[in-house]
Amino acid sequence: SRAQKLLKEMERYRSEGMDDMKPNVFIYTNVMEAWIASRQPDSLDKVEAILEHMIEQSNAGDRDSAPNTTTFNVVLKAIRHSSHPEMHDKAEQVLNCMKKTGVKPNIITYNTFMGACARVEGNEETRRRAFSLVLAAFSELQAIGMRPDGYTWPAIWQACQCHLDINADLPKINSLFDITVKNGAFNELLFNSVRGFLPPSYLQKKLNRKDDVRTLTVHDLPAEWTRNVKLGRVKDPTKKKSKA
C-alpha cells in the first residue's frame, strides 16, 4: 500500500540518521488504519507486525514510537474486522499487552474488544469462552470506574445473541436483561438489537403488555429502561413531509 511504502521511506530516513523524518506513533497508527481499510487478507498480520515494531522501537529508547491508546484500539479494530478463527484470544492478548506496556484502555478499547469477541464463530466451547471474556471486560471497566456508553450495551447483547442459547442460557440472559434495565441503557440501537434476539413473548412479559412488541419504539419503553440515554424526538405518523 502507499502508506506502507511511505512508512518504509521514513524508516530509511531513520536508519540514515535523519531523525526529523522518522515515523512516530501517529504515522504508525495511520498506516494500521490504511491496512484495515485495504481489506487485504493479511491486513491483521501487517497491523500486528507494526505494533510489534513500535514496541521494539519504544523499548530501544524511541518514545515517539510508543503505542498509545488509539494504537491499541486500532489493533483491536483490525482483529474485529478479520476472519481469524480465534479473534477473542487475539483480542485478549492485545488487551493484556496494552496493560503490560502501561497504556490505559478507554471505553472504545472495551467496546471494540467486546465487538471482536462477539464475532467469534466455532464450537460451543469457543463461543462460551468468548462470551466469558465479554463479561470479564464489562466487569473490569465497571471496577475501574468507567461508564458504559451507547455502544457498550449493544456489543454485550450482540455477544449474547451470537453465543448464548435462549432456552439453555435463560438465567444468564435474564440476569443481563435486569442489569441493562437497572442501568437505564435502552437506546434505539440496543432495543432493536435485543428485540431481534429475544422472542416477542419474553418482551411482552417484561413489559407487561400483550400487543405486538415488534411495532414498539424505544419511546414506548418504561422510563426506567431509558433514563440514562438520550432519545430522539417522537415522530408524528400523521405528519406528512412537505414536498419541495
Side-chain angles (χ1 to χ4, degrees), residues 69-134:
T69 301
T70 300
T71 306
F72 280 102
N73 290 350
V74 171
V75 178
L76 289 170
K77 178 182 175 181
I79 295 171
R80 190 186 67 192
H81 284 277
S82 75
S83 57
H84 196 283
E86 296 179 346
M87 63 178 74
H88 59 306
D89 288 333
K90 280 272 188 185
E92 184 182 31
Q93 290 168 12
V94 170
L95 189 58
N96 289 338
C97 176
M98 185 179 191
K99 298 171 186 174
K100 186 178 179 181
T101 55
V103 180
K104 292 184 178 180
N106 60 17
I107 193 61
I108 297 174
T109 308
Y110 288 107
N111 290 348
T112 311
F113 173 84
M114 291 189 284
C117 290
R119 293 193 65 246
V120 173
E121 298 179 353
N123 58 30
E124 182 179 356
E125 182 180 354
T126 298
R127 288 184 284 107
R128 288 193 177 278
R129 168 161 165 71
F131 186 72
S132 70
L133 289 175
V134 169

Side-chain angles (χ1 to χ4, degrees), residues 1 4 7 16-17 50 80 82 90 100 123-124 134 148 151 166 168 171 176 202-203 222 224 231:
S1 69
Q4 188 68 35
L7 180 59
E16 295 175 356
I50 292 172
R80 190 186 67 192
S82 75
K90 280 272 188 185
K100 186 178 179 181
N123 58 30
E124 182 179 356
V134 169
Y151 296 96
I166 187 63
L176 178 57
Y202 184 97
L203 287 174
E224 179 189 9
L231 301 180

Side-chain angles (χ1 to χ4, degrees), residues 25-183:
V25 59
F26 304 106
I27 298 295
Y28 284 122
T29 304
N30 282 331
V31 174
M32 289 180 176
E33 286 278 21
W35 274 116
I36 296 172
S38 74
R39 300 188 178 183
Q40 295 295 317
D42 61 346
S43 293
L44 176 57
D45 292 335
K46 298 294 186 182
V47 168
E48 289 181 317
I50 292 172
L51 176 63
E52 184 177 348
H53 179 67
M54 292 175 72
I55 294 173
E56 288 176 354
Q57 291 295 328
S58 176
N59 290 340
D62 182 9
R63 297 307 301 166
D64 291 335
S65 295
N68 58 22
T69 301
T70 300
T71 306
F72 280 102
N73 290 350
V74 171
V75 178
L76 289 170
K77 178 182 175 181
I79 295 171
R80 190 186 67 192
H81 284 277
S82 75
S83 57
H84 196 283
E86 296 179 346
M87 63 178 74
H88 59 306
D89 288 333
K90 280 272 188 185
E92 184 182 31
Q93 290 168 12
V94 170
L95 189 58
N96 289 338
C97 176
M98 185 179 191
K99 298 171 186 174
K100 186 178 179 181
T101 55
V103 180
K104 292 184 178 180
N106 60 17
I107 193 61
I108 297 174
T109 308
Y110 288 107
N111 290 348
T112 311
F113 173 84
M114 291 189 284
C117 290
R119 293 193 65 246
V120 173
E121 298 179 353
N123 58 30
E124 182 179 356
E125 182 180 354
T126 298
R127 288 184 284 107
R128 288 193 177 278
R129 168 161 165 71
F131 186 72
S132 70
L133 289 175
V134 169
L135 294 184
F138 180 61
S139 297
E140 184 176 297
L141 73 87
Q142 287 188 307
I144 61 178
M146 197 174 292
R147 185 169 181 173
D149 66 9
Y151 296 96
T152 309
W153 294 102
I156 296 172
W157 275 97
Q158 183 188 11
C160 182
Q161 180 175 358
C162 294
H163 302 323
L164 298 187
D165 180 87
I166 187 63
N167 295 312
D169 298 307
L170 188 58
K172 288 183 180 179
I173 294 170
N174 278 332
S175 177
L176 178 57
F177 192 94
D178 291 343
I179 292 172
T180 309
V181 168
K182 185 178 180 181
N183 280 267

